[in-house]
Amino acid sequence: MKQRILSGAIAALATTLGSTAVFAHDESVTVWRLLVADQEASVVNVIDAVDKEVIDSFELSGPAALHRSSSGETVFAVQGATGVVSAINTGIAFHDHGDHADIDVSSPALLDVEFTGDRPAHFVEQQGYIAQWFDGEDTARFFTENAVLDGQSEVRTANIEAAHHGVAVPYQHHAVVSIPNAEDASQRPIGARVVDFEGNRIGEDVACPGLHGSAGSGSLYALACSTGLLIISTNNGTPEIEHLPYPESLPEGSASTLLGGKGLQYFVGNYGADRIVIVDPSQAEEGFQLVQLPTRRVHFTVDPIRARFAYVFTEDGQLHQVDVLSGELTQSLRLTEPYSMDGHWNDPRPRIAVAGDNIVVTDPATETLHFVNAERFEKVDEMALEGKPFNIVAVGGSGMSHGH
Ligand code: ZN
Ligand code: ZN
């Protein structure tokens, strides 16, 4: 009560003085949005993860894989079947003010910019630089997030010898690109090299048999090979590649999907159907930890906020918390009916995203999103979402709003 009288007095004083600055109050704002693609329908739903309401739905040309940029301002929807990559402005932007970040919140929007081509597949973004790979084309395309947000669709390109299912990693003046199998480009790539955008190769080609799967963690980027990981670092902005072999102690196998830790520098990959491998790139032999799962793995993700945890969903309907430092399954929670990994790889099955305090799991069979509190590892809420909710990404966070 005392506070109210006091601020009323200040307001009256300010009115008297004709000042408006006094009224521009700063407040901390927290916003999280989920973008959820349907497995069957050509639609992406944007959901307010706090109110659990659909804000908007965007009609695409086909079912989409979703990739968020590191800034979270843009989500790219790769529609492999129809050859289109669409861009969605998430409506959440942060501006670094040094001691704090400002948050700008607006309506999400499907941008006019789109990229069309033969079989768009792997998408990689680093610090606003983007590489979009097309499996049916013999050049890789590069652009920036800022250009897309400005409505520009011009690209830079790099030659990749022959069309193949590979990947490119973008840097400011360079890219790392996969090298196709010269005998049969439909086979997995055989290595990686550094190129620039003027057609030059930089340094030696590096062998990476069976290359598939890539991820960034802090200053490092990793590519998965049948023999180990390629670890890419930069020296004065130029990428350098080093091969980190799987240790002898690991059983037969390799990773073909990678994720990178946020807050802690590590990589996590699949390693057989019912195991994951956690890799600390600063160590050799001891840097690899194998984690056995109770059943086969459906999906996994890292927690960008609680950095020591990653989550794995298994086909018995359980979500598991993995401590990436100890390599142990620390908690398990049954969320859904079983989802067998038999059948097509792209059948509708759960996917995981972390949105602030919540781990959100899509459940296409029951048309539901499950919300699990990440601290308590307990289901706290759910939301109905019509269709087959499948691929999911989260954007958001907290920032200051200066009331203008
Ligand atoms: Zn500010
Ligand atoms: Zn692939």
Side-chain angles (χ1 to χ4, degrees):
M1 187 52 112
K2 197 174 180 186
Q3 189 72 45
R4 202 188 268 169
I5 292 167
L6 189 61
S7 57
I10 292 171
L13 180 65
T15 309
T16 314
L17 297 174
S19 161
T20 52
V22 177
F23 297 106
H25 65 289
D26 293 359
E27 54 175 344
S28 178
V29 175
T30 299
V31 184
W32 283 94
R33 287 178 178 166
L34 302 166
L35 286 89
V36 183
D38 198 273
Q39 192 269 348
E40 206 172 70
S42 309
V43 67
V44 172
N45 290 295
V46 184
I47 292 161
D48 183 320
V50 181
D51 295 341
K52 302 184 179 69
E53 282 172 3
V54 175
I55 305 170
D56 210 340
S57 296
F58 300 120
E59 208 58 50
L60 304 178
S61 69
L66 300 177
H67 305 276
R68 55 156 287 176
S69 63
S70 36
S71 77
E73 284 186 53
T74 324
V75 167
F76 290 84
V78 179
Q79 301 140 73
T82 54
V84 179
V85 179
S86 306
I88 296 167
N89 184 330
T90 64
I92 300 177
F94 293 94
H95 306 284
D96 186 7
H97 281 192
D99 62 335
H100 70 277
D102 275 18
I103 185 169
D104 274 347
V105 181
S106 56
S107 299
L110 181 62
L111 295 166
D112 284 335
V113 180
E114 63 177 29
F115 302 89
T116 56
D118 191 0
R119 282 177 284 148
H122 290 285
F123 171 100
V124 176
E125 184 264 3
Q126 285 209 102
Q127 298 179 330
Y129 297 100
I130 294 167
Q132 176 62 57
W133 191 272
F134 290 80
D135 284 358
E137 301 180 1
D138 60 9
T139 53
R141 301 191 212 174
F142 303 86
F143 47 92
T144 66
E145 179 180 22
N146 282 336
V148 170
L149 286 168
D150 284 347
Q152 294 159 20
S153 57
E154 294 90 66
V155 299
R156 295 192 289 184
T157 58
N159 181 278
I160 51 162
E161 291 185 17
H164 65 285
H165 184 57
V167 69
V169 186
Y171 294 85
Q172 187 179 3
H173 302 296
H174 303 88
V176 173
V177 296
S178 54
I179 304 170
N181 183 316
E183 272 96 71
D184 180 359
S186 73
Q187 300 291 311
R188 290 269 186 91
I190 57 160
R193 67 169 58 120
V194 181
V195 297
D196 65 17
F197 302 112
E198 281 86 52
N200 302 305
R201 289 185 196 181
I202 288 102
E204 300 285 314
D205 292 355
V206 181
C208 180
L211 188 159
H212 189 271
S214 72
S217 181
S219 57
L220 299 178
Y221 203 89
L223 302 172
C225 325
S226 59
T227 50
L229 302 187
L230 294 188
I231 303 291
I232 309 166
S233 56
T234 51
N235 185 359
N236 286 326
T238 305
E240 293 181 341
I241 309 174
E242 221 172 300
H243 184 259
L244 181 65
Y246 293 125
E248 296 285 329
S249 55
L250 280 190
E252 207 47 38
S254 62
S256 57
T257 299
L258 288 181
L259 296 174
K262 307 271 185 304
L264 277 175
Q265 195 162 55
Y266 72 94
F267 298 97
V268 55
N270 60 328
Y271 201 91
D274 61 355
R275 289 180 304 221
I276 55 170
V277 65
I278 299 163
V279 184
D280 173 353
S282 68
Q283 305 200 38
E285 181 93 12
E286 312 77 49
F288 289 77
Q289 287 193 88
L290 206 56
V291 182
Q292 178 67 51
L293 306 170
T295 58
R296 288 176 294 184
R297 181 197 63 256
V298 175
H299 192 237
F300 59 114
T301 196
V302 303
D303 192 326
I305 300 161
R306 291 147 295 264
R308 70 180 292 162
F309 296 119
Y311 308 108
V312 187
F313 194 88
T314 49
E315 61 180 346
D316 55 0
Q318 292 196 89
L319 179 71
H320 308 276
Q321 181 193 59
V322 182
D323 183 327
V324 300
L325 298 178
S326 69
E328 277 163 15
L329 288 188
T330 35
Q331 305 216 55
S332 298
L333 176 66
R334 184 169 300 281
L335 277 183
T336 73
E337 291 296 305
Y339 275 95
S340 172
M341 285 306 287
D342 288 334
H344 196 273
W345 64 270
N346 199 34
D347 279 345
R349 297 186 186 93
R351 298 285 183 267
I352 316 164
V354 178
D357 296 337
N358 290 311
I359 307 158
V360 188
V361 178
T362 58
D363 186 354
T366 62
E367 310 190 4
T368 307
L369 305 183
H370 302 278
F371 290 76
V372 174
N373 179 281
E375 293 289 344
R376 306 203 302 274
F377 211 71
E378 278 171 20
K379 181 169 167 176
V380 287
D381 207 351
E382 63 178 45
M383 173 187 167
L385 186 62
E386 216 175 293
K388 291 193 170 80
F390 186 47
N391 292 319
I392 181 169
V393 293
V395 295
S398 301
M400 291 302 290
S401 174
H402 296 301
H404 47 70

